[in-house]
Amino acid sequence: MRSSLYIGRLFPIVIAVAAGAMASCAQEGVEEPVTGEAQSAARDRGPLPDCLYVGDDEGAADQIEMFDPYSGTYEGSFIRPGEVVPNSIRGMVFNRQNGANPNLYVVDQDATDVQGINGEIFRYRKNNGKLRDVFIPSTDPNGAFAPRGTIIYKGILFVADAGDNAPDFHPGGIRMYDAKTGDFRGVLNGAAFPSDPNTAPPQVLGPRSLLIGPDGLLYASVFSYTDSDLGRIVRFDPDTGAFLGIVADSAMFPTLRRPEGLAFGPDGKLYVTSFRDNTNTATTIDQILVFDVLGRTQAVLVDSIPLWQIGQPRAFAQALVFGPNGLYVSIAGGDPTTTGQLRVYNLGTEPETYTLLAEAGGPLQSPWYLTFCGTNPATLAYEPQRHCACGQ
């Protein structure tokens, strides 16, 4: 395990990504990426070429906050005043099929504070932050009970449904919808997310985050409601729905606990958020695990990035995403001195260094999922687009 070093609130080191280093899924109507001199010129003209969008858990009415991904300057709230706001923001992804004004699909895990109600999926217009529609309402009989991460692949919206085991039993699964119409296309569950309502307490294993890997496979992080030490990474064929097995779990890697955020880096490795052992809080920490999974039936743990050290204030992360300057990580909680931080990790340094885009106690109260307009809606790789200027 490497150590991690905070190097101040400075401009992060730019990590150059070679063209083609991250495979991406073909999307209809996708504009050509902005790269090199064109991207630099866009910044020189004034408007930011992209914003970092961060879903913030702010109580009964959440918000999506926007930041300059280079300097960390707070750019304001995305959802405009007077618009319907989610109750518990989770996954977010822009649909590129809408061209110059893509819709931001936003997962609301808890449509209301009333138990037993499904979550919802909202769509907001990028250019003005206004609600386009409640794409999948809580009243939809095929809606996800506890939706979490989401991606769009070949016109299909994949939604991780974490399920629940109490007081009502809801098995976990990956629900699929037509990304234009919202029509239900089926659910992936079974052996990937075993659930049993007859155990005491009921067993439910549910997916949290999703993405399409450079190998074209669908990856999902998995946790358990009854075993806080359990964690899995599973794979599917996204075209056929076939379950391809468990590539990593806590039996193989004891530090893989309650994983959530997933991201493939430009190095082809899979980065996964993982939590400390709740039964051994004195000597375990929250961290990001780095796996080699491509072309393998079983993952190999090649690195880990600690989010804090024993004796320091705790910091844990639910989500992460690669962006223009490296690996962006939101600190959702753990301690008042770290909760609300946005970090950019400068990979390839030893010890691993990070810079702060946002300080604890700033605009963010408890940040979860984060995305860019330029985030590929399937692979979640960063691919700058011409229409992604911040606030436009």
Side-chain angles (χ1 to χ4, degrees):
M1 181 184 75
R2 296 184 180 183
S3 60
S4 184
L5 179 66
Y6 170 49
I7 59 173
R9 196 176 188 280
L10 305 171
F11 289 101
I13 301 169
V14 176
I15 296 178
V17 181
M22 179 73 72
S24 62
C25 298
Q27 302 285 326
E28 296 178 3
V30 176
E31 297 184 17
E32 289 295 319
V34 180
T35 57
E37 294 181 0
Q39 186 172 345
S40 298
R43 280 190 57 74
D44 292 341
R45 286 194 300 269
L48 287 171
D50 205 340
C51 258
L52 175 62
Y53 299 80
V54 184
D56 192 29
D57 192 340
E58 300 180 0
D62 288 5
Q63 183 55 265
I64 298 169
E65 307 295 0
M66 300 183 294
F67 294 84
D68 180 333
Y70 299 90
S71 69
T73 300
Y74 176 55
E75 300 291 332
S77 297
F78 171 70
I79 302 174
R80 294 298 180 255
E83 297 295 322
V84 175
V85 296
N87 194 49
S88 296
I89 293 177
R90 295 300 181 256
M92 303 182 295
V93 66
F94 282 97
N95 186 1
R96 293 183 179 176
Q97 292 181 346
N98 288 82
N101 185 22
N103 294 314
L104 179 61
Y105 289 66
V106 179
V107 169
D108 183 3
Q109 181 171 277
D110 301 307
T112 71
D113 289 323
V114 179
Q115 290 183 336
I117 303 298
N118 286 349
E120 296 183 316
I121 311 293
F122 293 80
R123 290 195 297 186
Y124 293 89
R125 301 183 188 278
K126 179 197 171 294
N127 65 346
N128 57 20
K130 292 186 176 181
L131 180 70
R132 173 179 173 178
D133 56 21
V134 181
F135 187 59
I136 308 293
S138 62
T139 54
D140 190 319
N142 294 308
F145 179 74
R148 207 82 167 202
T150 187
I151 61 171
I152 300 173
Y153 170 74
K154 292 185 178 180
I156 299 298
L157 181 73
F158 290 75
V159 179
D161 184 355
D164 199 3
N165 72 333
D168 300 314
F169 178 80
H170 297 274
I174 300 174
R175 295 183 175 270
M176 299 175 291
Y177 308 89
D178 186 297
K180 289 185 177 179
T181 67
D183 292 341
F184 182 59
R185 298 302 189 200
V187 60
L188 306 178
N189 48 27
F193 315 114
S195 300
D196 187 349
N198 298 314
T199 60
Q203 179 191 26
V204 173
L205 272 67
R208 283 182 154 178
S209 287
L210 308 172
L211 87 170
I212 301 294
D215 51 7
L217 302 180
L218 171 62
Y219 288 75
S221 57
V222 182
F223 83 114
S224 168
Y225 281 95
T226 55
D227 184 354
S228 64
D229 286 336
L230 187 145
R232 289 179 180 172
I233 308 298
V234 300
R235 289 189 290 210
F236 292 85
D237 182 323
D239 296 308
T240 67
F243 174 50
L244 302 179
I246 300 170
V247 68
D249 68 14
S250 48
M252 307 172 194
F253 309 103
T255 54
L256 182 62
R257 307 182 193 94
R258 307 183 300 285
E260 181 132 6
L262 299 175
F264 275 97
D267 57 2
K269 303 298 188 294
L270 180 63
Y271 291 71
V272 184
T273 60
S274 183
F275 290 83
R276 72 180 183 184
D277 183 350
N278 280 340
T279 65
N280 181 15
T281 60
T283 61
T284 62
I285 60 172
D286 308 273
Q287 55 193 314
I288 297 168
L289 303 180
V290 186
F291 291 101
D292 186 355
V293 299
L294 299 178
R296 298 178 179 274
T297 56
Q298 179 176 314
V300 174
L301 181 63
V302 296
D303 202 356
S304 60
I305 303 171
L307 297 176
W308 58 288
Q309 300 287 356
I310 299 299
Q312 297 177 346
R314 187 187 179 195
F316 65 78
Q318 301 284 160
L320 71 176
V321 69
F322 278 90
N325 272 9
L327 179 62
Y328 291 71
V329 180
S330 57
I331 303 302
D335 187 276
T337 63
T338 60
T339 300
Q341 288 180 346
L342 287 179
R343 300 178 180 181
V344 185
Y345 280 83
N346 308 303
L347 305 182
T349 59
E350 289 194 41
E352 230 104 37
T353 60
Y354 69 85
T355 55
L356 283 179
L357 283 186
E359 305 271 2
L364 299 171
Q365 297 182 30
S366 183
W368 281 57
Y369 284 73
L370 58 175
T371 192
F372 296 89
C373 172
T375 298
N376 185 294
T379 68
L380 306 186
Y382 185 66
E383 301 167 348
Q385 304 293 305
R386 294 185 184 279
H387 60 257
C388 282
C390 190
Q392 297 184 2

